[in-house]
Each structure stands twice: as structure tokens, then as C-alpha cells.
Amino acid sequence: MTVDIKKGLMGVTVDETGISKVMPEINSLTYRGYAAQDLCANCEFEEVAYLILNGNLPSKKELKKFEKEERKERTLSKSLINIIKQIPRKSHPMDVARTAVSVMGLEDKEVTDNSPKANLRKAMRIFSKTPTALAAFYRLRKGKKIIAPKKKFTFAENFFYMCFGKVPNKEIVKAFDVSLILYAEHSFNVSTFTARTITSSLSDIHGAITGAIASLKGPLHGGANEEVMHMMKKIKKPENADKWINNALNKKAVVMGFGHRVYKSGDSRVPTMREYFGKVAKIKKDKTYEKIYDIVEKVMIKRKNIHPNVDYPTGPTYHLMGFDTDFFTPIFVISRITGWSAHVMEQHSTNKLIRPLAAYNGNKYRKVKVLKKR
Ligand code: CMC
């Protein structure tokens, strides 16, 4: 009997969600009905985090309460700080994020409570503490002192402050905030589906987010923003870009930061992020990567008709902001925790164990021979 296998679940609708959708009528990714680019233009990241976690944009009062709670929860326990201090300095920061969230689960008194209210409280704690854990590792591996979070700073400002000891100008912070908004949620992508699969056995949110981080690390998913930067560094100068990308395509290479399972004629997040990449390049007075960006994009569209995804502009933007390349995907994490958490809560609210089938292609039935006869 032949079975119709949908490899990679391509084109398969496995459940419903009310959190986000790419709406064809406006050709855009939407969160709870709002276009991501409208949210970038009109909101700060905390408002969008609230929207994703709670379903609606906050009133002034609701936002204040949300921000107060987020700022209160930023501090790490002494034992988590000590664990981060012991992590080998060469570790990938995605593995540090994964470990930190896992340890937060060990410390969280509500870890086994999967009620909606407890899950929202736990989501807030993971959301607030993960940037602190990552920034601590950022400092430690450079031989610098850990910087404690400051309540007077926004989520974005505080991350810069904890990594670099200072907050850059408003335009840079806005560009970072925009990247966080664009990264916050994207329906049933690999990491979110991982989180939902873990949740479907009625496991807990810390486990689901730990698994999601492992999934996001891969270069076909979140890890692509780091790979984009490696590629741009290899290209080095705009004069090399055309030859480099043509050679890569001749060798049938997969070019990171291009293509998408859902968008086949362009990722709706790219124009907004491209604009902010340009703003950051102007402030930093460095147009090298912008020029490389445009040349590679042009060749990819001309030769393959494959468009950039959001990881293409975020990579060089984070580089110009001063972040180490292996911190790009962890930045994705601190934003996507909102989307993952919303999906964990949605999965719990309508749960059905996720357990697909596989078409067996292994050995036919055979009898076991005892060891001495094998
Ligand atoms: N470079 C070169 N060729 C590509 C690329 C690319 N980036 N993306 C797709 N193709 C080709 C692919 O080789 C295939 O060609 P053929 O039909 O001749 O075998 C065709 O386009 C269809 O691609 P696919 O891999 O079957 O499509 P998919 O939906 O399974 O893959 C993807 C989507 C994102 C895995 C893929 O486009 C890719 O590997 N891109 C590079 C990694 C990347 O940028 N990932 C980030 C994804 S979006 C944001 C995020 O999740 O972080």
C-alpha cells in the first residue's frame, strides 16, 4: 500500500491558531490581526509582547503594569549566575540560553502548574530573565564583570546596557526594537511546533521553551541570521559580491537568509527591517554590508527567483550594532519567547497529543537468534 507522505509536513495544516497569520489580502504577517510593520511603526516591543501573550494591545495602565512586572523579574538567582559562570566560555550562547531556561524550570515553584494563569506568570519570568542570562554570558566570556539589569530601562535598552554597559542612541534602540517585534511570532515554524509538540504531552513551559531554543539554533531556522553574517564576512567587499554569489549558486549552495517555507515571493518583514538596516548603516557610517546585501539579493532574485527572509537584514544590522555574530540567534530567542509562550498556552487550552504516523521502510519481520548463534 502506498502512503502519501508529506515530507517536512509541507503544506499540511495540523491545527488552528489565533496568534498569527500571513494574511494574503494585505500580503503581510499579522499578530492577533495587526500587521507586523504597523506594530513596528506605532508600538514599542513591550506593547507587542503584551499583545502576543494576552491577545490585545494594552491600555496605558495595562502596559505600565506589564512593564513593571517584566522589570521586576529581570534579576537571576545566585545559583543560576553561578551556573552561567561555570559554563565553558567557548559554548555557543544558544546552548547557554537553552541551559538557562532549563535551570529556571528547576527553580520555578510553579513548574508543574499548567493552568493559564500560572503559565502566563512563568512565561513572564522566562521572558524577563533570559536576556539577563545571555548578557551575563556575553560579559563573562569577554573577561568582563556581569552588569545587573536596571529597572529604568526598556526591554531593548536594558539588553544593550547589560551587554555593553551603555545604551546607544534612540535610532539604534528603535532599530533593535523593530527587529524584536519582527522576530516575535510566526505561527507553526519549526521551533514553535517543537514547543507545541512538547506541550501536547502535557509537559511544562520551561521544557517546551528549552526544546524550542534547541530547534531555533539550526541554520535552516533562526541560526540563519548568523550564517548571513559569516557569508558577508567571507565576501568582505562589495566588489567581490557578484562573483562570490554566482560561484555559490553554480556550486548549488544553499544561500542563508533566502527562501521561506511560507512566503514564496518575499517575506513581508524584510522591507521594514531593510529600512532600519539602512538607518543603522548610515549612523555607523559603514555602507559596506548594505552594498553587499543589495548585490547578493539582486543575483538571488535574478538567477533563482528566491527572495530574502528576515534573517538577511537582521544579521548585518546586529553586526553594525556591535553584537558578536553568535549572539544574533540568541537575540531572536529573547523576542520569540513571547510567541512560543502564547503557543504553549494555546496548545494547553485545546490540547490533543501530537503523534503522527510514519510509513515503515525497515526490515521485514525476523526472528531473534540468541547471541552465540549470531
Ligand atoms: N538558497 C539556494 N536555493 C534555495 C534556497 C536558498 N536559500 N532556498 C530554497 N532554495 C531552493 C531549493 O534548493 C529548492 O530547489 P530544488 O527544487 O531545485 O531542489 C527550492 O528552492 C525549494 O526549496 P526548499 O528547500 O524545498 O523549500 P523549503 O520550504 O523546504 O525550505 C528553507 C525553506 C527556509 C529551509 C530554505 O529556503 C532554506 O534552506 N533557506 C536558507 C536558510 C534560511 O535562510 N532559513 C531562515 C528561514 S526564515 C526565518 C527563520 O525561520 O529564521
Side-chain angles (χ1 to χ4, degrees), residues 10 219-222 224 249 253-261 264 269 300 304 306 309-311 332:
M10 200 153 175
L220 295 189
H221 191 10
L249 290 180
V254 173
V255 182
M256 294 298 158
F258 285 84
H260 200 279
R261 178 62 66 81
K264 292 299 176 194
R269 299 166 294 181
M300 282 299 287
K304 302 279 291 183
I306 297 177
N309 57 58
V310 72
D311 291 323
F332 193 157

Side-chain angles (χ1 to χ4, degrees), residues 88-335:
R89 300 291 188 260
K90 282 192 177 153
S91 307
H92 194 289
M94 283 299 279
D95 300 340
V96 177
R98 193 193 65 214
T99 302
V101 173
S102 188
V103 174
M104 286 174 212
L106 301 176
E107 295 180 335
D108 202 304
K109 289 196 174 76
E110 295 188 291
V111 71
T112 54
D113 185 349
N114 281 329
S115 65
K117 282 187 177 162
N119 269 337
L120 191 56
R121 287 193 292 270
K122 288 187 280 182
M124 277 306 283
R125 291 195 275 273
I126 299 169
F127 175 58
S128 305
K129 291 182 198 311
T130 307
T132 315
L134 280 163
F137 185 67
Y138 194 87
R139 304 279 304 173
L140 286 169
R141 73 174 189 179
K142 289 180 187 295
K144 293 182 175 171
K145 271 192 161 176
I146 294 174
I147 298 176
K150 267 213 165 102
K151 281 189 184 163
K152 68 172 183 179
F153 291 133
T154 65
F155 186 88
E157 288 170 345
N158 184 54
F159 191 64
F160 278 106
Y161 173 70
M162 292 188 299
C163 288
F164 302 117
K166 56 184 183 213
V167 177
N169 73 35
K170 277 200 166 104
E171 286 92 340
I172 302 273
V173 174
K174 176 63 189 172
F176 188 73
D177 217 54
V178 161
S179 77
L180 296 179
I181 293 174
L182 295 174
Y183 267 147
E185 159 58 11
H186 211 294
S187 195
F188 275 43
N189 56 82
V190 195
S191 56
T192 302
F193 191 60
T194 303
R196 290 192 74 127
T197 304
I198 292 171
T199 304
S200 81
S201 71
L202 299 183
S203 187
D204 57 80
I205 190 168
H206 287 87
I209 292 184
T210 301
I213 293 171
S215 164
L216 188 76
K217 184 185 176 191
L220 295 189
H221 191 10
N225 60 10
E226 296 177 19
E227 297 299 326
V228 166
M229 203 58 229
H230 293 312
M231 172 179 78
M232 290 200 173
K233 281 181 182 164
K234 272 186 217 151
I235 296 175
K236 228 179 196 162
K237 294 190 267 186
E239 304 87 276
N240 302 337
D242 189 82
K243 192 172 168 201
W244 194 96
I245 185 65
N246 275 297
N247 275 343
L249 290 180
N250 292 344
K251 288 181 195 152
K252 309 244 175 283
V254 173
V255 182
M256 294 298 158
F258 285 84
H260 200 279
R261 178 62 66 81
V262 177
Y263 306 102
K264 292 299 176 194
S265 52
D267 177 337
S268 69
R269 299 166 294 181
V270 168
T272 308
M273 200 58 230
R274 171 68 184 88
E275 185 193 331
Y276 280 91
F277 167 38
K279 287 182 184 188
V280 173
K282 200 168 168 201
I283 293 166
K284 296 287 178 184
K285 297 190 176 62
D286 184 353
K287 300 244 168 185
T288 311
Y289 293 118
E290 234 192 326
K291 286 180 189 160
I292 294 174
Y293 180 108
D294 289 341
I295 296 165
V296 171
E297 179 187 32
K298 214 168 145 188
V299 175
M300 282 299 287
I301 294 174
K302 192 171 166 207
R303 279 193 58 178
K304 302 279 291 183
N305 196 27
I306 297 177
H307 294 256
N309 57 58
V310 72
D311 291 323
Y312 191 52
T314 54
T317 307
Y318 292 151
H319 175 79
L320 289 170
M321 286 172 176
F323 290 104
D324 296 343
T325 305
D326 61 1
F327 257 73
F328 297 179
T329 319
I331 296 171
F332 193 157
V333 168
I334 65 175
S335 159

